[in-house]
Amino acid sequence: MNVLQKIRDHIKHRGLRATLAKVWKHYVFSHQELLWMERDLVSPVPPHSLKPYPPLRVVKITPDNVSAFARHFGDRVGTMAELAREHHTGHMHLDDQGHAVAFIWGTAQDYFDRHYYGCLFPVKPGEFFEFGGELTRAYWGTELSVDLQLELWKAMAAQGCDKVVDVCEFHNIPALKLHLRMGYTEQGRIMNIYKLFGRWRFYRETRYNGSRLEALRKPSRPPVTATAT
């Protein structure tokens, strides 16, 4: 299907205004806001109502075991091996057939994300940068989204880290809600990514006061006892 046919189909299903906005963003100009978030590794995780999930096995990702991603994340096998060779810390959660159903990465060094955003995320001493977390659809809405992070926090705490930092797209509401559910707080920093004509990228950090996520917060309840230790 050529580009013009795709545009016609999009207009038919989404309307002219939505189509023009998508074309502008993809081919002319786009702006992403990545909010910096942080959390210590010992405070209790706030209570949640996530569903339980069947037992899984947690395995450190190495260049030699990335074939486990083939079934559910076939397009990531090479990237997983590359990140492991760069000595970042990665965990995958395997089902009873040995297939990876979730993964997450952390690094205690400055991280240049050449696979997605194309920019450098600096990391301070004592921190680690968390990135690349993903679950298969069957595990959405389960406690795995919490346990996935807790297991990584334990591993990074053993490496001398006492804080996790990461970035989250401002328009990714489910991801932002997950961060709030895990007890993250805003740093008041934004990494702005601008893309021009689908080719050139520019980066700029800005700051803000107060909270941009207040509308997403739920009334607080007594904490549970789950921690990263």
Side-chain angles (χ1 to χ4, degrees):
M1 184 183 296
N2 59 36
V3 174
L4 288 178
Q5 185 60 47
K6 289 182 178 179
I7 292 175
R8 293 192 190 100
D9 290 344
H10 197 276
I11 292 174
K12 181 179 179 180
H13 292 97
R14 299 295 300 275
L16 179 59
R17 178 174 295 182
T19 300
L20 291 176
K22 184 175 182 178
V23 169
W24 177 269
K25 183 177 181 180
H26 186 78
Y27 294 103
V28 183
F29 176 79
S30 66
H31 173 211
Q32 288 178 293
E33 291 183 304
L34 309 181
L35 272 61
W36 278 93
M37 310 286 287
E38 68 173 36
R39 192 197 195 284
D40 67 65
L41 302 183
V42 296
S43 296
V45 173
H48 56 73
S49 57
L50 298 170
K51 299 178 294 185
Y53 60 93
L56 299 172
R57 184 161 52 97
V58 183
V59 177
K60 183 177 180 179
I61 302 172
T62 72
D64 299 322
N65 63 14
V66 295
S67 60
F69 289 97
R71 179 172 183 177
H72 298 296
F73 305 99
D75 59 334
R76 319 288 180 82
V77 173
T79 299
M80 298 296 107
E82 184 179 334
L83 292 172
R85 286 194 295 268
E86 293 174 352
H87 304 295
H88 303 306
T89 300
H91 285 169
M92 57 182 169
H93 291 237
L94 307 180
D95 62 18
D96 57 3
Q97 296 182 352
H99 301 301
V101 297
F103 65 89
I104 195 168
W105 289 91
T107 181
Q109 61 195 36
D110 292 350
Y111 176 63
F112 181 73
D113 181 8
R114 61 179 172 276
H115 300 104
Y116 194 69
Y117 294 117
C119 60
L120 178 71
F121 296 106
V123 180
K124 298 177 182 178
E127 299 178 346
F128 80 90
F129 184 72
E130 182 178 281
F131 65 97
E134 190 169 343
L135 294 73
T136 58
R137 181 177 290 272
Y139 290 87
W140 290 4
T142 72
E143 294 175 335
L144 182 56
S145 62
V146 174
D147 295 344
L148 183 71
Q149 296 185 67
L150 289 177
E151 289 291 338
L152 180 64
W153 295 359
K154 291 178 185 178
M156 299 308 295
Q159 296 180 32
C161 300
D162 56 23
K163 179 188 291 186
V164 53
V165 298
D166 73 354
V167 294
C168 188
E169 294 181 11
F170 182 60
H171 295 294
N172 190 340
I173 302 302
L176 291 172
K177 288 183 176 180
L178 171 62
H179 279 70
L180 295 177
R181 186 165 65 238
M182 292 296 296
Y184 282 81
T185 59
E186 301 165 70
Q187 285 193 338
R189 294 193 295 150
I190 300 175
M191 173 66 79
N192 297 273
I193 302 177
Y194 306 93
K195 191 173 183 180
L196 189 62
F197 299 123
R199 181 175 181 181
W200 294 289
R201 293 192 181 194
F202 308 91
Y203 310 94
R204 181 173 67 102
E205 183 175 286
T206 56
R207 295 180 179 270
Y208 64 94
N209 296 316
S211 173
R212 296 188 61 175
L213 306 181
E214 197 60 39
L216 301 180
R217 299 182 188 277
K218 294 182 178 180
S220 60
R221 292 181 291 176
V224 294
T225 57
T227 68
T229 59

